Amino acid sequence: MKVIQFMNMRDLDLNLLLVFEAIYTSGNISRAANHLDLSQPALSNALARLRKQMDDPLFVRGGNGVVPTLRAEEIIDPIRDALAMIRQSVDPGAVFDPETSKRHFRMIVADPLEQIIMSKLLNNLGRNSLVTFELQPPQAMQIEDALLLQKTDLAIFLLHNKNAELNSKSLCPVDLVVLARKDHPRIQGAATMAQLKKEGFVTLTLAPRKLANSEKVTFWQRLHLREVCHVYKVSSIGQMVAQTDLIGVVPRVYAEQIASTNGIQFFDLPVEMSNQSFHMIWHKRADMDASSIWLRDQVASCFSYDAA
């Protein structure tokens, strides 16, 4: 194990490590100050002290905030681990209160489930709650890497390669259905595979290495349909199907959300194409964290059954 010597332990102030973690996580001085309930000058002063003790700037300006230096990248994991151990030791029975917490959750959510999950999460918050959420696009980063590197707190997606450092819970089956507009000239209520192969489809772009996590989506590989338009999100399939004669294949949970208000019909595929399930995935470091437990409970409550 690498030993990181960054300051004289006699000068160590735990509050400085909390400041470091908050800035690293938020990437913004103002947001970090708000998270710690400090004024911006007070946080800047703490950061100046930490920079002096560590003989490194730690953060430099970038984008709309700050980005960590190589030194900061090097020490963030052991500092986070140490703070997590201290928090659990000091207050192992801590309860998360969304009415008073300023917790900022970062999540990767599969497009078909985004509306179901986020509407419930946001509606369950009190009017004055300071809890915030940040949705990160699953196309931008590998889910496993995002969780291992602490770039996201929770992922809701298809399960691929299991990692010993990650935990998961099934939420619902993918359960594919055919999507078409209600007044489609040839498709009404059902269709054979021969009929479907004569139609043009809107499909997900799943070319290897073109989008992060696309290799997890296996249900298109056996359909062999006429793909007229490739899109990057399942929600784009619904939008185009509603306005054209193209049809699509989407998870039932998504079709049920949009059919009644978008003039869309859906029906079972004539052949079974997927046994995949959507899962909730998190790092084991968050197993006992009260805020993470609350978030997972909220997400799980959106679904009335578990996938097999």
Side-chain angles (χ1 to χ4, degrees):
M1 178 178 177
K2 184 176 181 180
V3 177
I4 298 176
Q5 296 177 340
F6 57 86
M7 65 173 66
N8 189 323
M9 293 300 293
R10 290 176 299 178
D11 299 326
L12 176 61
D13 182 346
L14 178 60
N15 291 317
L16 296 184
L17 301 186
L18 293 171
V19 166
F20 173 75
E21 180 191 41
I23 297 174
Y24 189 99
T25 299
S26 65
N28 184 281
I29 298 294
S30 297
R31 285 200 296 267
N34 183 61
H35 175 73
L36 295 174
D37 202 19
L38 294 173
S39 67
Q40 189 165 328
L43 186 131
S44 297
N45 181 61
L47 177 57
R49 289 171 55 201
L50 190 57
R51 282 169 164 166
K52 182 177 180 180
Q53 289 189 356
M54 299 185 65
D55 193 25
D56 189 271
L58 298 177
F59 302 98
V60 296
R61 293 189 182 279
N64 295 320
V66 294
V67 295
T69 64
L70 292 177
R71 182 66 165 150
E73 294 277 10
E74 182 183 34
I75 65 175
I76 182 60
D77 286 343
I79 285 178
R80 277 178 166 158
D81 290 344
L83 290 174
M85 291 177 64
I86 292 171
R87 290 182 180 116
Q88 292 179 16
S89 298
V90 172
D91 193 7
V95 175
F96 175 73
D97 184 359
E99 295 301 312
T100 59
S101 173
K102 295 181 179 179
R103 181 74 157 84
H104 179 69
F105 291 107
R106 299 161 301 165
M107 303 169 63
I108 296 175
V109 182
D111 188 45
L113 304 183
E114 184 176 298
Q115 182 177 334
I116 290 176
I117 291 171
M118 294 314 300
S119 60
K120 181 159 187 176
L121 280 173
L122 296 171
N123 286 330
N124 281 354
L125 291 177
R127 181 178 179 182
N128 299 317
S129 173
L130 298 176
V131 170
T132 56
F133 299 93
E134 174 187 346
L135 294 185
Q136 301 165 314
Q139 302 93 339
M141 66 185 97
Q142 282 292 338
I143 284 170
E144 294 83 1
D145 292 342
L147 290 165
L148 293 171
L149 297 174
Q150 297 187 321
K151 295 182 181 294
T152 199
D153 300 304
L154 183 68
I156 296 101
F157 207 77
L158 300 170
L159 198 62
H160 188 45
N161 295 323
K162 289 191 175 182
N163 186 294
E165 296 183 53
L166 304 180
N167 278 335
S168 66
K169 176 181 174 60
S170 62
L171 295 174
C172 69
V174 171
D175 192 13
L176 296 173
V177 297
V178 179
L179 206 64
R181 61 187 178 94
K182 283 186 177 178
D183 54 352
H184 194 284
R186 294 172 298 279
I187 302 294
Q188 284 298 321
T192 65
M193 205 64 201
Q195 288 176 299
L196 293 181
K197 288 187 176 182
K198 294 178 181 179
E199 299 295 330
F201 276 74
V202 187
T203 66
L204 284 175
T205 297
L206 298 173
R209 296 180 296 279
K210 196 165 187 178
L211 295 175
N213 301 300
S214 62
E215 78 286 349
K216 298 179 176 68
V217 185
T218 63
F219 50 76
W220 272 106
Q221 296 172 3
R222 302 192 306 275
L223 286 175
H224 306 299
L225 301 172
R226 185 163 66 90
E227 301 178 357
V228 175
C229 181
H230 292 96
V231 296
Y232 293 97
K233 300 187 300 180
V234 170
S235 57
S236 296
I237 296 178
Q239 293 166 10
M240 294 192 183
V241 161
Q243 301 177 51
T244 69
D245 286 347
L246 297 177
I247 58 180
V249 175
V250 300
R252 183 183 300 274
V253 66
Y254 172 71
E256 290 173 344
Q257 295 174 58
I258 67 168
S260 61
T261 57
N262 290 273
I264 290 176
Q265 58 173 313
F266 67 91
F267 51 87
D268 292 342
L269 273 165
V271 293
E272 184 175 345
M273 298 305 300
S274 175
N275 59 359
Q276 289 186 279
S277 298
F278 290 109
H279 282 71
M280 192 163 48
I281 312 160
W282 67 94
H283 197 285
K284 288 183 177 180
R285 69 171 72 90
D287 277 352
M288 304 305 295
D289 176 70
S291 62
S292 299
I293 293 172
W294 174 85
L295 178 62
R296 296 196 298 270
D297 287 346
Q298 291 290 307
V299 171
S301 70
C302 296
F303 304 90
S304 58
Y305 54 90
D306 284 349

